Amino acid sequence: MLKTVIIDDEDLIREGLVASINWNDLGFEIAGQASDGERAIELIQNLRPDIIVTDIRMPFMNGLELIEFIKPMVPESYIIIISGHDEFQYAQKALQLGVYDFILKPFELDYFVKVLTKIKYDYTIKKSSNRSVLPKEDVESLKIGFLKSICLNKIDDDQIINRLRIYDLQYLEERLFATIIVQIDNYHISISDNTFDEINDVHKVYHQLIESVVKGEEKIHLIEGNSGDIILLLNSTNELDLYNKISNLTTQLRCVFDNESNLSVTIAYSQIVNSIYNIHKSYKQSYKACNQRFVIGYNHNISYDITESHQNNHIAKSNVPQIKFDRKAFSDVIKEGDNCKISEYIDSIFSEMSNKGGGSALFGTMFVTSVYIELLNILENQDLTIGDLYDDPIAIYKHLSISKNIDDSRELITEIAEKVAHHLSLTGSEQYDMRIKEAINYIEKNFANPNITLQEVAEHINMGVCYFSSTFKKETGDSFINYLNNTRIEKAKDLFEKTSYKAYEISYMVGYKTPTYFSSLFKKILGISPTEYKTQKLIAD
């Protein structure tokens, strides 16, 4: 069971999360709760939880300050932020602090459960790949852990010499090496809607296909990477033999994945290195080649030699590429609001980027980021944020940041740009005034429904949740929940004055599930309890 703590100053949120999710069935246990940052620190120090769920705005210390404080204490913990505030700087800071997910209130429990499922899967993969913690009798697993440390350059030469002797691997000192990385394309995005069992099935098929190719090969070690990818470490005493092995293996792997699965995988391989002490350089080459799918595309075999040759030829012909494009022209196209022109303009700047970048994945990623930032600037100039366009802006940022292919990035940038253009065309018009009036009418008709939500009303008037929330407050001077509560209390007052219903009956009639909550809210808004209010009205009459 993964130990979980929940930190939120709202009792309703904490208790609701605990009660609404079957934590044990998912593999989690609620180890503790805290209502503020100060108590949370003490709780985390004592429990060392695997999962931390926290709000941002709390007494004594906000959630981001709490995370900064406790991160060195529990570096391996998964942290989920739940917040009613969608400011981009919060999400940006959360990413910098290594937060696993940033979820906006109100949220669907199904989505929260999906996040927990992914955490459970990541935790399982991480645990299974840390072979160094296995019992000592599992010598083969310890050997794999040792070779993985060499690939990741986490072990010095003296330690390598010592462990070669301990594991009886001295023969490797006389070998040549190469690495192959096999990685599922856009892995985290492709599994985003999958259940834990479905994710596990994908991972199992992926492993089985690779194992079917390398099975029985003594000079190949199969190593689980840190991100669910597979590292194949090849060795030989003969350079030609190793070249042939690389060629045959990459061809067989491609054939197996193309014919026996629907998985899109990138297979990237390094040059040959002449010593076990240079394996980390070989791994670095394979990883760099793998990243070239951003330009080359998915489902390809990519050689480091081709990557290096491509980039060197480009550098020889031109200066270092500059990340720039005509921002004013871009802004003008967006403001014009013609989707065809927006798409054509984005295609043209991406095409220019490909020519300038010379196949560099790093340059491509930096370019995409600069275009995204320009879209944020256009929004900011109109007092809008990315949260006004998307209910989950952090997911959009994540999608862009982990995208492994330029075509995916271009499509997402085009989608965002068209949404920006659409919102700019509506800003300042009377369309939003009419929608808010429609929302108010909907509340008036449905206030008695205890399950009415911000999301339901936003969907009814065809607006994004975050944008509806901010626009509603701007137009009415009150938040959605306060407006709904005030409407219900006004209706309750009317019922007290005109009927003989009891307080608990009226609480149900105006949309509250619990009479005690209705009573406390009534007193908070009017200063007197429902019973006192009814008594006063009887005396006055």
Side-chain angles (χ1 to χ4, degrees):
M1 292 286 182
L2 300 186
K3 282 191 293 185
T4 306
V5 298
I6 299 176
I7 307 153
D8 198 303
D9 60 336
E10 293 184 53
D11 294 343
L12 193 62
I13 296 291
R14 287 200 322 275
E15 291 165 8
L17 277 176
V18 173
S20 304
I21 295 171
N22 199 330
W23 293 87
N24 289 347
D25 284 358
L26 293 171
F28 300 81
E29 63 169 326
I30 301 298
Q33 301 179 46
S35 57
D36 59 64
E38 195 172 56
R39 293 178 186 175
I41 289 171
E42 185 180 350
L43 192 68
I44 291 164
Q45 280 176 329
N46 293 332
L47 295 174
R48 304 284 169 167
D50 301 299
I51 316 293
I52 298 165
V53 182
T54 181
D55 191 10
I56 283 189
R57 299 238 176 133
M58 297 183 297
F60 303 113
M61 168 186 290
N62 71 39
L64 295 175
E65 291 168 338
L66 170 66
I67 293 165
E68 276 190 286
F69 188 88
I70 56 122
K71 194 67 177 168
M73 194 188 308
V74 283
E76 299 298 320
S77 292
Y78 294 87
I79 300 172
I80 301 170
I81 286 181
I82 50 175
S83 173
H85 307 277
D86 64 341
E87 287 90 339
F88 181 69
Q89 61 266 30
Y90 282 155
Q92 198 173 34
K93 180 68 173 174
L95 278 179
Q96 291 168 0
L97 291 172
V99 166
Y100 188 83
D101 211 329
F102 187 103
I103 303 174
L104 288 174
K105 300 177 188 174
F107 53 85
E108 295 291 332
L109 278 178
D110 285 349
Y111 177 77
F112 192 82
V113 169
K114 278 185 181 178
V115 173
L116 292 176
T117 302
K118 287 177 199 167
I119 287 176
K120 176 69 175 176
Y121 177 76
D122 283 354
Y123 177 84
T124 305
I125 293 298
K126 209 179 268 187
K127 193 173 179 183
S128 68
S129 63
N130 284 336
R131 297 300 185 183
S132 56
V133 301
L134 291 171
K136 288 185 178 179
E137 60 265 29
D138 194 347
V139 177
E140 189 57 36
S141 294
L142 289 170
K143 285 180 182 178
I144 294 298
F146 163 56
L147 293 173
K148 179 178 177 179
S149 296
I150 297 176
C151 287
L152 301 180
N153 200 22
K154 291 187 175 180
I155 185 169
D156 61 37
D157 290 354
D158 289 338
Q159 289 174 307
I160 291 174
I161 293 168
N162 185 44
R163 292 201 192 180
L164 284 172
R165 179 180 54 79
I166 291 171
Y167 299 137
D168 196 25
L169 295 171
Q170 293 98 320
Y171 69 91
L172 291 178
E173 286 195 277
E174 308 298 325
R175 298 295 175 92
L176 305 172
F177 296 90
T179 55
I180 299 172
I181 290 178
V182 186
Q183 199 172 78
I184 299 174
D185 295 323
N186 260 357
Y187 176 68
H188 293 289
I189 295 172
S190 64
I191 65 165
S192 60
D193 292 322
N194 290 6
T195 64
F196 177 74
D197 287 340
E198 288 169 339
I199 294 169
N200 205 27
D201 287 342
V202 168
H203 199 73
K204 198 180 292 181
V205 168
Y206 171 56
H207 268 260
Q208 287 172 348
L209 290 173
I210 296 172
E211 286 168 356
S212 71
V213 173
V214 303
K215 192 175 180 181
E217 292 280 353
E218 293 180 4
K219 296 177 182 178
I220 300 174
H221 292 95
L222 191 151
I223 302 166
E224 180 84 37
N226 281 343
S227 303
D229 52 344
I230 298 294
I231 306 163
L232 299 176
L233 179 61
L234 289 62
N235 73 83
S236 178
T237 55
N238 181 278
E239 188 171 359
L240 181 59
D241 174 61
L242 194 50
Y243 271 123
N244 289 334
K245 191 172 288 187
I246 293 169
S247 176
N248 292 337
L249 201 57
T250 52
T251 302
Q252 287 176 50
L253 285 167
R254 174 57 57 204
C255 184
V256 164
F257 275 102
D258 284 352
N259 295 328
E260 298 183 30
S261 85
N262 58 0
L263 289 174
S264 171
V265 298
T266 293
I267 299 167
Y269 51 100
S270 71
Q271 296 173 331
I272 292 173
V273 295
N274 61 4
S275 165
I276 193 169
Y277 306 104
N278 289 328
I279 285 176
H280 67 279
K281 294 179 181 177
S282 168
Y283 172 73
K284 208 169 186 179
Q285 289 178 357
S286 293
Y287 195 80
K288 187 174 181 181
C290 198
N291 285 339
Q292 283 304 113
R293 74 180 131 197
F294 185 84
V295 177
I296 294 171
Y298 295 142
N299 218 34
H300 283 85
N301 288 11
I302 306 174
S303 160
Y304 177 76
D305 286 330
I306 295 172
T307 302
E308 197 69 2
S309 171
H310 187 183
Q311 292 186 355
N312 286 341
N313 287 340
H314 178 81
I315 291 168
K317 292 176 185 175
S318 65
N319 295 324
V320 176
Q322 299 297 307
I323 300 171
K324 61 182 181 179
F325 59 96
D326 190 334
R327 283 167 167 75
K328 185 180 183 307
F330 186 44
S331 179
D332 289 344
V333 169
I334 297 294
K335 288 174 183 174
E336 191 176 338
D338 186 323
N339 284 353
C340 288
K341 289 183 179 179
I342 290 170
S343 181
E344 286 173 5
Y345 186 84
I346 289 173
D347 284 348
S348 70
I349 62 175
F350 268 74
S351 176
E352 187 180 352
M353 178 275 294
S354 295
N355 293 331
K356 282 184 179 179
S360 165
L362 176 62
F363 179 77
T365 303
M366 292 170 69
F367 176 81
V368 169
T369 303
S370 70
V371 177
Y372 179 68
I373 289 171
E374 185 58 30
L375 285 168
L376 296 183
N377 290 336
I378 293 170
L379 284 170
E380 188 177 358
N381 290 336
Q382 300 295 324
D383 294 323
L384 296 168
T385 71
I386 192 69
D388 295 327
L389 278 67
Y390 292 93
D391 294 339
D392 189 2
I394 195 69
I396 299 301
Y397 183 73
K398 274 185 180 177
H399 193 147
L400 271 178
S401 65
I402 65 176
S403 176
K404 302 296 184 183
N405 181 261
I406 194 168
D407 292 329
D408 281 355
S409 298
R410 179 172 55 225
E411 285 177 15
L412 185 54
I413 286 290
T414 303
E415 177 198 310
I416 297 169
E418 289 174 354
K419 273 185 175 282
V420 170
H422 177 67
H423 275 70
L424 292 185
S425 70
L426 294 174
T427 302
S429 72
E430 295 182 1
Q431 292 189 47
Y432 279 138
D433 289 343
M434 294 302 296
R435 289 198 198 179
I436 298 305
K437 286 176 183 175
E438 190 180 344
I440 289 170
N441 287 337
Y442 188 83
I443 292 168
E444 287 288 332
K445 292 176 182 177
N446 296 279
F447 69 89
N449 175 6
N451 298 314
I452 187 172
T453 62
L454 175 73
Q455 184 172 351
E456 178 188 331
V457 180
E459 286 176 356
H460 176 74
I461 62 170
N462 197 28
M463 285 178 74
V465 175
C466 295
Y467 196 60
F468 168 62
S469 178
S470 60
T471 307
F472 187 90
K473 188 169 185 178
K474 190 187 296 182
E475 294 290 334
T476 64
D478 219 342
S479 68
F480 169 81
I481 192 64
N482 284 346
Y483 188 92
L484 177 62
N485 282 329
N486 285 329
T487 300
R488 284 170 166 170
I489 297 303
E490 285 299 317
K491 300 294 182 184
K493 284 168 58 180
D494 192 48
L495 288 169
F496 277 128
E497 292 169 14
K498 297 177 179 178
T499 72
S500 59
Y501 288 117
K502 298 184 185 301
Y504 77 88
E505 293 174 314
I506 289 176
S507 72
Y508 296 131
M509 292 169 72
V510 297
Y512 292 106
K513 292 180 179 179
T514 56
T516 51
Y517 179 67
F518 164 70
S519 182
S520 62
L521 193 63
F522 192 98
K523 188 170 184 178
K524 181 180 177 182
I525 292 173
L526 298 179
I528 57 175
S529 69
T531 305
E532 290 170 332
Y533 181 85
K534 189 168 186 177
T535 303
Q536 285 183 5
K537 286 298 172 184
L538 287 172
I539 293 170
D541 292 340

